[in-house]
Amino acid sequence: MADPVIDIEGLRFAWKSGPQVLDIEAFRVDAGERVFLRGPSGSGKSTLLGLIAGVLQPQAGRIRVLGEDMSTLAAARRDRLRADRMGVIFQMFNLVPYLSVTGNVLLPLRFSQARRKAAGNDPQAEARRLLARLGLQDESLLERRVSDLSVGQQQRVAAARALIGSPSLVIADEPTSALDADARDRFINLLSEEVERSGATLLFVSHDASLAGLFTRAADLTTMNRAGAPA
Amino acid sequence: MTALFSLAWSSLLNRKGSVILTILAVALSVALFLGVEKARSGAREGFENTISGTDLIVGAPTGTVNLLLYSVFRMGSTTAEVSWPTYRQIAERPDVAWTVPIALGDSHRGFRVMGTTTAYFDHYKYGGGQPLELAEGALFDDLFDAVIGADVARDLGYTLDTPLILTHGLGAADLGSGHENRPFRVSGILKPTGTPVDRTVHVSLEAITAIHVGWETGAKNPLADSIPTEMIRSFDLTPKTVTAIFVGLERKGTILTTRRQINTNRGEPLMAIIPGEALRELWGVTSIAERALLAVSGFVIAVGLVSILTSILTSLNERRREMSILRATGARPGHIFSLLVLESGLIGFMGALIGIVIVHSVFAVVAPMLQARYGVAFGSGGPGLLDLYVLGAVTFASLVIGAVPAIAAMRRSLADGLSVRL
Ligand SMILES: Nc1ncnc2c1ncn2[C@@H]1O[C@H](COP(=O)(O)OP(=O)(O)O)[C@@H](O)[C@H]1O
Ligand SMILES: [Mg+2]
């Protein structure tokens, strides 16, 4: 059996001098899965994604991501793993304000040789292809200031950025919470399609349980997080 | 690094308004500093290029700097003079190779008039020993011939044979108290030298005596004008006094001895100065002010650098989100650090560069005006090593200063993780 993409065991995390936010016995995501993780606001979804992305370190437990043990890996190696093999989409304000649409999409290539290589010898074309796949065909959009885009458009640019250079794992932190129902479903479908096409694994967190049906599997943070239950 | 460079550049472009103001603050501070330094060194170079080849300047006792200023730079004035017999004694000393007596005190439309001998044109040297040269015409031959400097010719539009009337004293206008009835004629025009020579009207010593016939009391005798010029020509026009004497020695080695002997001259009290030494004394007088100015303008550069710091620090709060996006897309803390250091360095570099351009543009305009006013040419104008040094130093300092916001942003981006709480 293939290595899991995410493998968590006995993970515990608390923000500095704060209460325990996460206490997860076990959580696992296999390669090729598109997992929906539900949890109410403040339950620690973003914190968990930070741990998976390797920008945070757990106080206890083991967290393996893409075959590396994030709890013992040096910070620089964690940063490299994220740069080379992960794509991240935020809830909102995903884009660097001073870069164009394509500039934003190409951003991960600035920090990763591996992603540059994977994007092929015409990254601009690859960015345009991804944007078009995500419903942003309009060429006039590409050099526009990102602040002129609608929230829906911004999120699709962020998705294209997360996907460029074929990362193995895409993590999305409530990317649809600012979208209306229609746009939301379309966004998730387009994202899922592209993730599937590139053979990546998707971990998508949201407080909105109604989205669960759009993924291959759904999990609930509140049931697996022992720290989540209010005392 | 190039990836970060273009990021830093786009980020600065995005904040154009405030960035341009900061660049301007740095540019003006650098321009002020360089301006002060260039004015200082330019003035020195100009002064030091004004006289060479003269070993001693002799005059009546006064301040060293004062004697230098009025004899060479036509600045200030003197009342005491050296008598003709004393001048002859100096001229006949065995250790003296040549002497050039000069007589100052009259003017022509704001330009000073100097009575001297044609030896002046042989022995007076400027720059690295360049001689005075005629652009046209000839040295004075007739009693009422005048050889004018290049600026005099240019400013007054004089050509050969233009008549001119000298004014008694240094007044700018030809008011009544002049030498109207003793007109001169331009016999020669000198090539420009970038020294006060350009702003001088040269006549013979005898001419100075001639126009002062009837002025023996210091004021004009009402009968002075009634003496016909033709009669004056037949007088003995050997001057009674001269203002100062330029001296060249047979051997440079005797310069200190000769000076001491002249200074302790029995009979008429005299003062001999060595031009280079007098200049150094002049710099001694001005150097405190120069250093104070330089220190102040140095502080102004520091203020400019602090404005970079302020501008970047205040932008950090609103850029917190941007930093976590960069981190999420793969930027390491070192990238965040370098980005902000680069931004700071770019602002400093552009500020310094613009400051240098400003200073050279201003000097290109002002230097000729200063030369017209004081007759002293400012040293070589073009960008030099100093500019390069300041450019490097300001850029380096702004890179170093950039480390402050850079470390703050790096720390914060580490603490924020992916979840910036806005
Ligand atoms: N950067 C941070 N510093 C300190 N506490 C934080 C930080 N981010 C989140 N928290 C705290 O951690 C808990 C979980 O937050 P978060 O992971 O953002 O939840 P969610 O994404 O599910 O809404 C909350 O109590 C929140 O206040
Ligand atoms: Mg969250």
Side-chain angles (χ1 to χ4, degrees):
Chain A
M1 195 192 78
D3 249 4
V5 171
I6 300 170
D7 189 7
I8 289 171
E9 263 174 57
L11 173 79
R12 277 198 278 160
F13 180 85
W15 286 95
K16 200 184 293 168
S17 74
Q20 197 76 11
V21 176
L22 294 172
D23 182 356
I24 299 172
E25 175 72 51
F27 178 60
R28 204 184 135 120
V29 176
D30 284 316
E33 275 195 300
R34 279 176 285 117
V35 175
F36 177 73
L37 182 62
R38 197 200 79 80
S41 192
S43 60
K45 301 184 297 297
S46 298
T47 306
L48 177 61
L49 292 189
L51 286 158
I52 292 170
V55 291
L56 300 176
Q57 281 283 75
Q59 278 88 33
R62 210 173 59 114
I63 173 165
R64 290 183 66 81
V65 178
L66 296 163
E68 302 279 1
D69 190 344
M70 296 304 245
S71 37
T72 57
L73 208 58
R77 300 274 308 277
R78 281 181 272 132
D79 287 337
R80 174 127 316 281
L81 185 69
R82 178 174 67 258
D84 288 346
R85 302 189 61 193
M86 292 186 223
V88 180
I89 312 171
F90 295 111
Q91 184 169 354
M92 54 200 310
F93 309 118
N94 257 298
L95 306 181
V96 176
Y98 51 79
L99 295 176
S100 68
V101 168
T102 31
N104 265 284
V105 175
L106 295 171
L107 192 54
L109 308 191
R110 289 182 193 250
F111 302 115
S112 166
Q113 173 97 50
R115 293 280 278 272
R116 253 196 316 274
K117 222 181 252 166
N121 42 25
D122 189 355
Q124 296 275 347
E126 172 65 3
R128 276 198 300 278
R129 188 192 68 79
L130 278 168
L131 287 166
R133 293 289 314 165
L134 289 161
L136 297 176
Q137 294 88 341
D138 190 353
E139 289 278 337
S140 74
L141 223 61
L142 299 184
E143 295 308 319
R144 198 145 345 134
R145 286 178 69 87
V146 293
S147 51
D148 296 342
L149 302 183
S150 73
V151 179
Q153 289 170 325
Q154 289 187 24
Q155 293 305 76
R156 281 184 270 178
V157 173
R161 183 180 65 202
L163 287 163
I164 198 159
S166 310
S168 312
L169 172 62
V170 174
I171 55 182
D173 190 355
E174 308 201 57
T176 55
S177 60
L179 305 183
D180 58 51
D182 236 28
R184 191 184 60 200
D185 289 4
R186 233 166 347 121
F187 177 85
I188 294 174
N189 283 329
L190 287 170
L191 176 65
S192 299
E193 230 172 80
E194 274 315 298
V195 165
E196 201 171 1
R197 177 191 294 270
S198 71
T201 303
L202 174 67
L203 177 61
F204 187 110
V205 306
S206 174
H207 66 276
D208 184 356
S210 70
L211 302 176
L214 299 165
F215 298 85
T216 58
R217 178 159 74 90
D220 197 326
L221 185 58
T222 35
T223 57
M224 67 190 206
N225 182 13
R226 292 176 298 206
Chain B
M1 204 50 159
T2 48
L4 281 176
F5 198 83
S6 70
L7 260 194
W9 183 253
S10 317
S11 155
L12 291 182
L13 276 184
N14 188 53
R15 291 180 286 129
K16 247 186 266 130
S18 82
V19 166
I20 286 176
L21 284 181
T22 313
I23 288 177
L24 217 61
V26 176
L28 291 179
S29 72
V30 166
L32 178 68
F33 179 83
L34 282 177
V36 167
E37 176 54 27
K38 275 191 194 306
R40 192 188 71 85
S41 63
R44 283 199 176 190
E45 201 178 315
F47 272 82
E48 267 151 25
N49 276 338
T50 294
I51 184 163
S52 78
T54 298
D55 295 315
L56 291 171
I57 300 171
V58 180
T62 172
T64 307
V65 170
N66 192 39
L67 176 55
L68 179 79
L69 285 182
Y70 71 70
S71 65
V72 177
F73 296 100
R74 322 266 186 271
M75 292 176 188
S77 58
T78 179
T79 44
E81 304 240 304
V82 177
S83 73
W84 187 257
T86 305
Y87 159 61
R88 289 310 313 164
Q89 277 173 25
I90 292 170
E92 278 149 24
R93 287 176 62 97
D95 51 353
V96 165
W98 55 263
T99 54
V100 175
I102 60 170
L104 297 160
D106 285 329
S107 65
H108 173 69
R109 298 179 68 178
F111 296 102
R112 296 213 179 178
V113 172
M114 186 172 92
T116 186
T117 63
T118 49
Y120 176 77
F121 300 97
D122 297 330
H123 295 300
Y124 182 89
K125 300 279 186 332
Y126 68 98
Q130 282 167 271
L132 300 178
E133 285 179 292
L134 281 165
E136 44 184 333
L139 298 184
F140 29 80
D141 179 29
D142 183 71
L143 183 59
F144 292 107
D145 278 353
V147 172
I148 60 178
D151 287 358
V152 180
R154 189 197 58 205
D155 291 1
L156 302 180
Y158 285 3
T159 54
L160 292 183
D161 295 328
T162 303
L164 61 152
I165 285 164
L166 307 190
T167 307
H168 191 72
L170 304 175
D174 308 43
L175 297 175
S177 65
H179 304 291
E180 298 84 350
N181 63 332
R182 314 275 185 241
F184 283 73
R185 147 195 105 86
V186 176
S187 72
I189 299 172
L190 294 170
K191 288 186 180 166
T193 62
T195 72
V197 171
D198 295 351
R199 306 183 58 74
T200 303
V201 175
H202 307 82
V203 299
S204 66
L205 275 178
E206 290 75 20
I208 297 287
T209 316
I211 60 176
H212 290 101
V213 168
W215 287 75
E216 289 76 9
T217 58
K220 193 174 184 177
N221 187 318
L223 299 176
D225 286 349
S226 63
I227 306 168
T229 299
E230 283 320 307
M231 190 193 279
I232 285 177
R233 283 181 187 277
S234 64
F235 288 179
D236 173 13
L237 293 173
T238 306
K240 300 266 182 304
T241 62
V242 297
T243 311
I245 306 147
F246 294 147
V247 177
L249 296 179
E250 291 285 358
R251 286 180 301 115
K252 306 293 162 203
T254 70
I255 192 162
L256 294 177
T257 321
T258 309
R259 180 175 64 161
R260 193 178 55 247
Q261 287 172 1
I262 292 176
N263 279 341
T264 57
N265 178 44
R266 249 169 298 153
E268 189 174 351
L270 290 174
M271 186 171 86
I273 61 169
I274 302 168
E277 205 178 279
L279 270 175
R280 270 193 296 285
E281 190 173 316
L282 176 60
W283 302 147
V285 173
T286 58
S287 75
I288 296 167
E290 283 171 12
R291 255 178 280 164
L293 255 174
L294 218 53
V296 168
S297 50
F299 277 119
V300 174
I301 287 198
V303 172
L305 288 172
V306 167
S307 77
I308 299 181
L309 184 64
T310 320
S311 125
I312 294 185
L313 271 181
T314 51
S315 77
L316 279 193
N317 248 336
E318 62 198 58
R319 297 181 66 185
R320 208 159 158 182
R321 184 72 207 177
E322 171 196 334
M323 297 308 156
S324 78
I325 295 169
L326 292 175
R327 289 280 287 140
T329 52
R332 273 167 278 141
H335 286 128
I336 304 286
F337 178 87
S338 311
L339 175 68
L340 289 165
V341 163
L342 269 178
E343 287 185 16
S344 179
L346 271 171
I347 293 178
F349 175 78
M350 289 188 287
L353 202 64
I354 291 172
I356 289 168
V357 171
I358 290 175
V359 117
H360 284 284
S361 316
V362 167
F363 264 75
V365 174
V366 167
M369 281 157 55
L370 287 175
Q371 180 169 354
R373 181 82 181 74
Y374 297 107
V376 174
F378 271 73
S380 47
L385 221 55
L386 177 72
D387 302 294
L388 214 63
Y389 178 74
V390 168
L391 181 65
V394 169
T395 306
F396 179 75
S398 52
L399 286 170
V400 169
I401 267 189
V404 174
I407 287 171
M410 191 172 73
R411 282 234 184 100
R412 200 191 273 174
S413 79
L414 279 174
D416 280 346
L418 292 185
S419 52
V420 173
R421 295 191 302 172
L422 293 170

